[in-house]
Each structure stands twice: as C-alpha cells, then as structure tokens.
Amino acid sequence: MTKLDLTKADKAYYGAGKKPELVELPALPYLRITGSGSPDSAAFAAAIEAIYTVAYSIKALCKQAEQDFTVAKLEGLWWVEVDVPDPLTVPREQWQWTLLIRQPDYVTAAIAEQGLANALNKKSHVPIGSVVFDRFHEGTCAQMLHVGPFSTEPETLAVLHGFIEQQGLAIRGKHHEIYLSDFRKTAPDKLRTILRYPVSARG
C-alpha cells in the first residue's frame, strides 16, 4: 500500500522558495479549529492537541481502508479585529487564529465525522468538539518561504508585500502560515515557514 504524502505530492502548495511567487490554489479539504489569544497560551496548545488528535483518527480510518497518508503540516490563519496599520503592534493576547491541517481529497465528511467521534472517545480534556471539517478556497495567492524565527518574519513579509504591490495586486484575505518545521521541536533559526496571502487585482 502506497502512503500519500501531500508535502511531496503537491509541490505548488508546499514548495515555496525564498523569492515571492504567485500560485493558484483550488478549494481543498481541511480540518480547522478557531480561537484567540497568544500562541504561547494553554488554549493554543490545547487547540493543537485537539486538531492533531482528530487528524490521526481520520488517518487510522483511511489506513484501515487501504488509503494511508502522512498527516499534513500544521497551518495557521492569523488576524486581529482592530483596524491598525501594523497588526504586530496589537498585544498577542488579542490575536485571532484558525489552525488548519489539510486532508487528502478522498477524506469525505462522513469519514471526518467518524474520526471526530473516535477522537472524542480518546481525549476529553481538549476541545475536540471545536474541530470542523470543511473546504477552504484561497484562489490566487502570493507566497514565499521564511527561514528563521517568527520574530524576523516582518523582514520577509516586507519583501512579499512589495512583490504584491509591484504586481498590481492587493491582499484580500488572512495572513496564512504553513509550518514546514515543527516549531515545538525545531531551533528558531532552523524554522521553515511558508508565508501566504490571497490576492486580487487592486481596485
């Protein structure tokens, strides 16, 4: 049985380089969980545990059906509810986020529902019930790879924002990060993170 690894199979999605580029993304299936507060908070850690528990429950069901896959990389959408020129000036406790884990195309709503039920039976101390399965469509996106700690992301984002402006485009969605490295286990200077924005023509 061949195991699907989306990271290797979808180079357009996971293969951002150190120079900005445009990609076109279709509607794709994901698990998601939404919350607010600092990424250092207990609530954020519990959300990560919850979404991974569901992801591995779905993987187990698919493996039984001989459609095994590697659980995809964790992703995050980030935004703030206040209108400020620089969102990074907003205290981390006021940040809003949605964590995502992409699913293979053959994962159906029925499989996800069974995976959620199985996960609820495994762990009751994390918010399994807040995990949702649905499709997310970003369409045209600008993206590039950031290497290093999250604290230096503004330098990469400045390059990405300049590229978006040069292309005559405007950001039309939330700041999107794909964590190619496990930030819980990787040294900050070794972190590899895709930074992505949905974009459209200005005006």
Side-chain angles (χ1 to χ4, degrees):
M1 177 173 55
T2 302
K3 181 187 290 189
L4 173 65
D5 186 341
L6 287 169
T7 307
K8 296 177 180 178
D10 193 342
K11 294 298 185 183
Y13 193 92
Y14 293 101
K18 294 182 180 180
K19 293 183 179 180
E21 62 181 350
L22 295 175
V23 292
E24 189 70 29
L25 302 175
L28 297 167
Y30 296 83
L31 295 175
R32 62 175 171 83
I33 183 169
T34 297
S36 62
S38 170
D40 298 322
S41 67
F44 189 79
I48 290 179
E49 186 174 355
I51 196 170
Y52 268 115
T53 301
V54 178
Y56 276 100
S57 293
I58 291 172
K59 169 186 164 64
L61 291 170
C62 290
K63 186 175 182 179
Q64 291 171 10
E66 298 190 349
Q67 288 185 309
D68 196 13
F69 63 91
T70 300
V71 171
K73 303 296 185 182
L74 183 68
E75 308 180 31
L77 305 177
W78 296 87
W79 71 99
V80 295
E81 298 289 0
V82 292
D83 187 12
V84 293
D86 183 1
L88 291 177
T89 62
V90 176
R92 289 155 64 93
E93 291 72 23
Q94 296 179 32
W95 290 3
Q96 310 290 318
W97 40 263
T98 294
L99 298 176
L100 304 163
I101 295 181
R102 185 177 161 188
Q103 301 297 292
D105 289 338
Y106 51 72
V107 172
T108 63
I111 294 171
E113 185 176 351
Q114 184 60 57
L116 278 160
N118 292 350
L120 277 168
N121 290 331
K122 290 179 183 176
K123 295 186 178 181
S124 59
H125 65 286
V126 292
I128 300 291
S130 296
V131 178
V132 175
F133 172 79
D134 61 10
R135 298 182 79 81
F136 177 46
H137 185 201
E138 286 187 293
T140 305
C141 294
Q143 67 178 22
M144 67 181 296
L145 180 68
H146 171 72
V147 179
F150 298 129
S151 60
T152 62
E153 274 189 16
E155 300 167 16
T156 304
L157 287 172
V159 175
L160 185 56
H161 287 181
F163 171 78
I164 292 170
E165 185 173 347
Q166 289 166 8
Q167 297 294 313
L169 302 170
I171 294 170
R172 58 166 177 76
K174 295 181 175 70
H175 173 79
H176 187 169
E177 299 185 346
I178 302 175
Y179 307 108
L180 300 179
S181 311
D182 186 339
F183 52 76
R184 299 166 298 177
K185 302 175 182 178
T186 307
D189 62 319
K190 302 293 186 183
L191 290 172
R192 298 170 67 250
T193 308
I194 296 174
L195 306 181
R196 177 181 291 163
Y197 282 107
V199 293
S200 60
R202 273 204 303 268

PDB file of all heavy atoms in Angstrom, residues 33 42-54 119-120 122-131:
ATOM      1  N   ILE A  33      -9.705  24.617  13.473  1.00  0.00           N
ATOM      2  CA  ILE A  33     -10.166  24.995  14.804  1.00  0.00           C
ATOM      3  C   ILE A  33      -9.791  26.455  15.019  1.00  0.00           C
ATOM      4  O   ILE A  33      -8.659  26.858  14.722  1.00  0.00           O
ATOM      5  CB  ILE A  33      -9.587  24.078  15.906  1.00  0.00           C
ATOM      6  CG1 ILE A  33     -10.152  24.451  17.279  1.00  0.00           C
ATOM      7  CG2 ILE A  33      -8.057  24.093  15.919  1.00  0.00           C
ATOM      8  CD1 ILE A  33      -9.827  23.427  18.355  1.00  0.00           C
ATOM      9  N   ALA A  42      -2.218  28.370  26.938  1.00  0.00           N
ATOM     10  CA  ALA A  42      -2.691  26.994  27.117  1.00  0.00           C
ATOM     11  C   ALA A  42      -3.789  26.667  26.122  1.00  0.00           C
ATOM     12  O   ALA A  42      -3.885  25.523  25.640  1.00  0.00           O
ATOM     13  CB  ALA A  42      -3.194  26.810  28.548  1.00  0.00           C
ATOM     14  N   ALA A  43      -4.623  27.648  25.776  1.00  0.00           N
ATOM     15  CA  ALA A  43      -5.710  27.422  24.820  1.00  0.00           C
ATOM     16  C   ALA A  43      -5.161  27.072  23.444  1.00  0.00           C
ATOM     17  O   ALA A  43      -5.707  26.201  22.745  1.00  0.00           O
ATOM     18  CB  ALA A  43      -6.599  28.665  24.742  1.00  0.00           C
ATOM     19  N   PHE A  44      -4.083  27.727  23.033  1.00  0.00           N
ATOM     20  CA  PHE A  44      -3.467  27.447  21.736  1.00  0.00           C
ATOM     21  C   PHE A  44      -2.885  26.036  21.726  1.00  0.00           C
ATOM     22  O   PHE A  44      -3.084  25.277  20.762  1.00  0.00           O
ATOM     23  CB  PHE A  44      -2.384  28.484  21.445  1.00  0.00           C
ATOM     24  CG  PHE A  44      -1.821  28.428  20.050  1.00  0.00           C
ATOM     25  CD1 PHE A  44      -2.521  28.976  18.984  1.00  0.00           C
ATOM     26  CD2 PHE A  44      -0.597  27.840  19.783  1.00  0.00           C
ATOM     27  CE1 PHE A  44      -2.016  28.937  17.687  1.00  0.00           C
ATOM     28  CE2 PHE A  44      -0.079  27.799  18.501  1.00  0.00           C
ATOM     29  CZ  PHE A  44      -0.797  28.350  17.451  1.00  0.00           C
ATOM     30  N   ALA A  45      -2.204  25.666  22.797  1.00  0.00           N
ATOM     31  CA  ALA A  45      -1.630  24.320  22.889  1.00  0.00           C
ATOM     32  C   ALA A  45      -2.724  23.258  22.865  1.00  0.00           C
ATOM     33  O   ALA A  45      -2.578  22.212  22.217  1.00  0.00           O
ATOM     34  CB  ALA A  45      -0.797  24.197  24.158  1.00  0.00           C
ATOM     35  N   ALA A  46      -3.835  23.528  23.545  1.00  0.00           N
ATOM     36  CA  ALA A  46      -4.947  22.574  23.569  1.00  0.00           C
ATOM     37  C   ALA A  46      -5.568  22.440  22.187  1.00  0.00           C
ATOM     38  O   ALA A  46      -5.976  21.339  21.773  1.00  0.00           O
ATOM     39  CB  ALA A  46      -5.997  23.020  24.583  1.00  0.00           C
ATOM     40  N   ALA A  47      -5.643  23.556  21.446  1.00  0.00           N
ATOM     41  CA  ALA A  47      -6.199  23.513  20.087  1.00  0.00           C
ATOM     42  C   ALA A  47      -5.315  22.670  19.173  1.00  0.00           C
ATOM     43  O   ALA A  47      -5.824  21.896  18.344  1.00  0.00           O
ATOM     44  CB  ALA A  47      -6.344  24.933  19.542  1.00  0.00           C
ATOM     45  N   ILE A  48      -3.995  22.805  19.302  1.00  0.00           N
ATOM     46  CA  ILE A  48      -3.073  21.983  18.504  1.00  0.00           C
ATOM     47  C   ILE A  48      -3.276  20.507  18.825  1.00  0.00           C
ATOM     48  O   ILE A  48      -3.369  19.660  17.917  1.00  0.00           O
ATOM     49  CB  ILE A  48      -1.607  22.400  18.773  1.00  0.00           C
ATOM     50  CG1 ILE A  48      -1.319  23.772  18.173  1.00  0.00           C
ATOM     51  CG2 ILE A  48      -0.645  21.364  18.189  1.00  0.00           C
ATOM     52  CD1 ILE A  48       0.090  24.269  18.425  1.00  0.00           C
ATOM     53  N   GLU A  49      -3.377  20.181  20.118  1.00  0.00           N
ATOM     54  CA  GLU A  49      -3.574  18.784  20.502  1.00  0.00           C
ATOM     55  C   GLU A  49      -4.900  18.248  19.955  1.00  0.00           C
ATOM     56  O   GLU A  49      -4.977  17.107  19.474  1.00  0.00           O
ATOM     57  CB  GLU A  49      -3.537  18.640  22.019  1.00  0.00           C
ATOM     58  CG  GLU A  49      -3.592  17.199  22.485  1.00  0.00           C
ATOM     59  CD  GLU A  49      -3.419  17.035  23.985  1.00  0.00           C
ATOM     60  OE1 GLU A  49      -3.165  18.049  24.670  1.00  0.00           O
ATOM     61  OE2 GLU A  49      -3.546  15.893  24.462  1.00  0.00           O
ATOM     62  N   ALA A  50      -5.939  19.070  20.004  1.00  0.00           N
ATOM     63  CA  ALA A  50      -7.253  18.645  19.528  1.00  0.00           C
ATOM     64  C   ALA A  50      -7.246  18.352  18.028  1.00  0.00           C
ATOM     65  O   ALA A  50      -7.731  17.306  17.578  1.00  0.00           O
ATOM     66  CB  ALA A  50      -8.300  19.717  19.853  1.00  0.00           C
ATOM     67  N   ILE A  51      -6.692  19.277  17.240  1.00  0.00           N
ATOM     68  CA  ILE A  51      -6.750  19.093  15.787  1.00  0.00           C
ATOM     69  C   ILE A  51      -5.866  17.927  15.348  1.00  0.00           C
ATOM     70  O   ILE A  51      -6.233  17.172  14.432  1.00  0.00           O
ATOM     71  CB  ILE A  51      -6.385  20.405  15.051  1.00  0.00           C
ATOM     72  CG1 ILE A  51      -6.832  20.330  13.578  1.00  0.00           C
ATOM     73  CG2 ILE A  51      -4.905  20.741  15.151  1.00  0.00           C
ATOM     74  CD1 ILE A  51      -6.725  21.663  12.839  1.00  0.00           C
ATOM     75  N   TYR A  52      -4.735  17.715  16.014  1.00  0.00           N
ATOM     76  CA  TYR A  52      -3.899  16.568  15.673  1.00  0.00           C
ATOM     77  C   TYR A  52      -4.564  15.254  16.075  1.00  0.00           C
ATOM     78  O   TYR A  52      -4.444  14.240  15.364  1.00  0.00           O
ATOM     79  CB  TYR A  52      -2.530  16.677  16.339  1.00  0.00           C
ATOM     80  CG  TYR A  52      -1.494  17.370  15.483  1.00  0.00           C
ATOM     81  CD1 TYR A  52      -0.937  18.586  15.867  1.00  0.00           C
ATOM     82  CD2 TYR A  52      -1.048  16.799  14.290  1.00  0.00           C
ATOM     83  CE1 TYR A  52       0.008  19.219  15.084  1.00  0.00           C
ATOM     84  CE2 TYR A  52      -0.093  17.422  13.504  1.00  0.00           C
ATOM     85  CZ  TYR A  52       0.438  18.635  13.911  1.00  0.00           C
ATOM     86  OH  TYR A  52       1.374  19.249  13.121  1.00  0.00           O
ATOM     87  N   THR A  53      -5.276  15.240  17.192  1.00  0.00           N
ATOM     88  CA  THR A  53      -5.976  14.030  17.613  1.00  0.00           C
ATOM     89  C   THR A  53      -6.997  13.609  16.571  1.00  0.00           C
ATOM     90  O   THR A  53      -7.105  12.430  16.209  1.00  0.00           O
ATOM     91  CB  THR A  53      -6.662  14.247  18.968  1.00  0.00           C
ATOM     92  OG1 THR A  53      -5.682  14.601  19.955  1.00  0.00           O
ATOM     93  CG2 THR A  53      -7.377  12.981  19.439  1.00  0.00           C
ATOM     94  N   VAL A  54      -7.745  14.580  16.049  1.00  0.00           N
ATOM     95  CA  VAL A  54      -8.730  14.283  15.009  1.00  0.00           C
ATOM     96  C   VAL A  54      -8.029  13.846  13.720  1.00  0.00           C
ATOM     97  O   VAL A  54      -8.454  12.887  13.060  1.00  0.00           O
ATOM     98  CB  VAL A  54      -9.638  15.499  14.742  1.00  0.00           C
ATOM     99  CG1 VAL A  54     -10.621  15.188  13.608  1.00  0.00           C
ATOM    100  CG2 VAL A  54     -10.398  15.893  16.006  1.00  0.00           C
ATOM    101  N   ALA A 119     -12.072  10.480  18.043  1.00  0.00           N
ATOM    102  CA  ALA A 119     -11.174  11.358  18.800  1.00  0.00           C
ATOM    103  C   ALA A 119     -11.795  11.786  20.121  1.00  0.00           C
ATOM    104  O   ALA A 119     -11.112  11.878  21.147  1.00  0.00           O
ATOM    105  CB  ALA A 119     -10.817  12.579  17.958  1.00  0.00           C
ATOM    106  N   LEU A 120     -13.113  12.048  20.100  1.00  0.00           N
ATOM    107  CA  LEU A 120     -13.811  12.430  21.332  1.00  0.00           C
ATOM    108  C   LEU A 120     -13.737  11.330  22.374  1.00  0.00           C
ATOM    109  O   LEU A 120     -13.656  11.596  23.583  1.00  0.00           O
ATOM    110  CB  LEU A 120     -15.278  12.755  21.026  1.00  0.00           C
ATOM    111  CG  LEU A 120     -15.569  14.159  20.503  1.00  0.00           C
ATOM    112  CD1 LEU A 120     -16.993  14.244  19.963  1.00  0.00           C
ATOM    113  CD2 LEU A 120     -15.361  15.204  21.590  1.00  0.00           C
ATOM    114  N   LYS A 122     -11.250   9.339  22.712  1.00  0.00           N
ATOM    115  CA  LYS A 122      -9.860   9.207  23.162  1.00  0.00           C
ATOM    116  C   LYS A 122      -9.467  10.281  24.164  1.00  0.00           C
ATOM    117  O   LYS A 122      -8.769  10.020  25.145  1.00  0.00           O
ATOM    118  CB  LYS A 122      -8.914   9.279  21.958  1.00  0.00           C
ATOM    119  CG  LYS A 122      -8.967   8.088  21.025  1.00  0.00           C
ATOM    120  CD  LYS A 122      -8.008   8.296  19.852  1.00  0.00           C
ATOM    121  CE  LYS A 122      -8.087   7.155  18.858  1.00  0.00           C
ATOM    122  NZ  LYS A 122      -7.218   7.393  17.665  1.00  0.00           N
ATOM    123  N   LYS A 123      -9.890  11.518  23.892  1.00  0.00           N
ATOM    124  CA  LYS A 123      -9.440  12.642  24.713  1.00  0.00           C
ATOM    125  C   LYS A 123     -10.607  13.571  25.003  1.00  0.00           C
ATOM    126  O   LYS A 123     -11.236  14.085  24.083  1.00  0.00           O
ATOM    127  CB  LYS A 123      -8.321  13.416  24.012  1.00  0.00           C
ATOM    128  CG  LYS A 123      -7.037  12.623  23.826  1.00  0.00           C
ATOM    129  CD  LYS A 123      -5.917  13.481  23.269  1.00  0.00           C
ATOM    130  CE  LYS A 123      -4.628  12.667  23.142  1.00  0.00           C
ATOM    131  NZ  LYS A 123      -3.511  13.485  22.625  1.00  0.00           N
ATOM    132  N   SER A 124     -10.840  13.802  26.278  1.00  0.00           N
ATOM    133  CA  SER A 124     -11.931  14.694  26.676  1.00  0.00           C
ATOM    134  C   SER A 124     -11.417  16.008  27.269  1.00  0.00           C
ATOM    135  O   SER A 124     -12.208  16.911  27.538  1.00  0.00           O
ATOM    136  CB  SER A 124     -12.833  13.998  27.700  1.00  0.00           C
ATOM    137  OG  SER A 124     -12.084  13.624  28.853  1.00  0.00           O
ATOM    138  N   HIS A 125     -10.101  16.117  27.447  1.00  0.00           N
ATOM    139  CA  HIS A 125      -9.544  17.303  28.102  1.00  0.00           C
ATOM    140  C   HIS A 125      -9.159  18.402  27.119  1.00  0.00           C
ATOM    141  O   HIS A 125      -8.726  19.482  27.527  1.00  0.00           O
ATOM    142  CB  HIS A 125      -8.313  16.930  28.937  1.00  0.00           C
ATOM    143  CG  HIS A 125      -7.153  16.440  28.123  1.00  0.00           C
ATOM    144  ND1 HIS A 125      -7.130  15.183  27.550  1.00  0.00           N
ATOM    145  CD2 HIS A 125      -5.982  17.041  27.770  1.00  0.00           C
ATOM    146  CE1 HIS A 125      -5.997  15.030  26.890  1.00  0.00           C
ATOM    147  NE2 HIS A 125      -5.282  16.144  26.999  1.00  0.00           N
ATOM    148  N   VAL A 126      -9.308  18.143  25.818  1.00  0.00           N
ATOM    149  CA  VAL A 126      -9.003  19.156  24.807  1.00  0.00           C
ATOM    150  C   VAL A 126     -10.258  19.382  23.955  1.00  0.00           C
ATOM    151  O   VAL A 126     -11.141  18.528  23.896  1.00  0.00           O
ATOM    152  CB  VAL A 126      -7.806  18.742  23.918  1.00  0.00           C
ATOM    153  CG1 VAL A 126      -6.523  18.723  24.722  1.00  0.00           C
ATOM    154  CG2 VAL A 126      -8.039  17.385  23.258  1.00  0.00           C
ATOM    155  N   PRO A 127     -10.361  20.530  23.262  1.00  0.00           N
ATOM    156  CA  PRO A 127     -11.605  20.902  22.575  1.00  0.00           C
ATOM    157  C   PRO A 127     -11.820  20.195  21.235  1.00  0.00           C
ATOM    158  O   PRO A 127     -11.908  20.825  20.173  1.00  0.00           O
ATOM    159  CB  PRO A 127     -11.454  22.415  22.400  1.00  0.00           C
ATOM    160  CG  PRO A 127      -9.976  22.637  22.298  1.00  0.00           C
ATOM    161  CD  PRO A 127      -9.367  21.638  23.245  1.00  0.00           C
ATOM    162  N   ILE A 128     -11.941  18.870  21.286  1.00  0.00           N
ATOM    163  CA  ILE A 128     -12.177  18.084  20.068  1.00  0.00           C
ATOM    164  C   ILE A 128     -13.433  18.574  19.352  1.00  0.00           C
ATOM    165  O   ILE A 128     -13.477  18.670  18.120  1.00  0.00           O
ATOM    166  CB  ILE A 128     -12.326  16.588  20.400  1.00  0.00           C
ATOM    167  CG1 ILE A 128     -11.055  16.046  21.068  1.00  0.00           C
ATOM    168  CG2 ILE A 128     -12.680  15.789  19.144  1.00  0.00           C
ATOM    169  CD1 ILE A 128      -9.863  15.949  20.189  1.00  0.00           C
ATOM    170  N   GLY A 129     -14.468  18.917  20.131  1.00  0.00           N
ATOM    171  CA  GLY A 129     -15.732  19.331  19.547  1.00  0.00           C
ATOM    172  C   GLY A 129     -15.668  20.622  18.758  1.00  0.00           C
ATOM    173  O   GLY A 129     -16.593  20.932  17.998  1.00  0.00           O
ATOM    174  N   SER A 130     -14.588  21.378  18.910  1.00  0.00           N
ATOM    175  CA  SER A 130     -14.431  22.635  18.167  1.00  0.00           C
ATOM    176  C   SER A 130     -13.753  22.433  16.815  1.00  0.00           C
ATOM    177  O   SER A 130     -13.645  23.377  16.034  1.00  0.00           O
ATOM    178  CB  SER A 130     -13.624  23.638  18.994  1.00  0.00           C
ATOM    179  OG  SER A 130     -14.317  23.994  20.181  1.00  0.00           O
ATOM    180  N   VAL A 131     -13.283  21.221  16.548  1.00  0.00           N
ATOM    181  CA  VAL A 131     -12.631  20.929  15.272  1.00  0.00           C
ATOM    182  C   VAL A 131     -13.709  20.702  14.204  1.00  0.00           C
ATOM    183  O   VAL A 131     -14.674  19.971  14.427  1.00  0.00           O
ATOM    184  CB  VAL A 131     -11.720  19.698  15.380  1.00  0.00           C
ATOM    185  CG1 VAL A 131     -11.082  19.383  14.023  1.00  0.00           C
ATOM    186  CG2 VAL A 131     -10.636  19.928  16.430  1.00  0.00           C
TER     187      VAL A 131
END
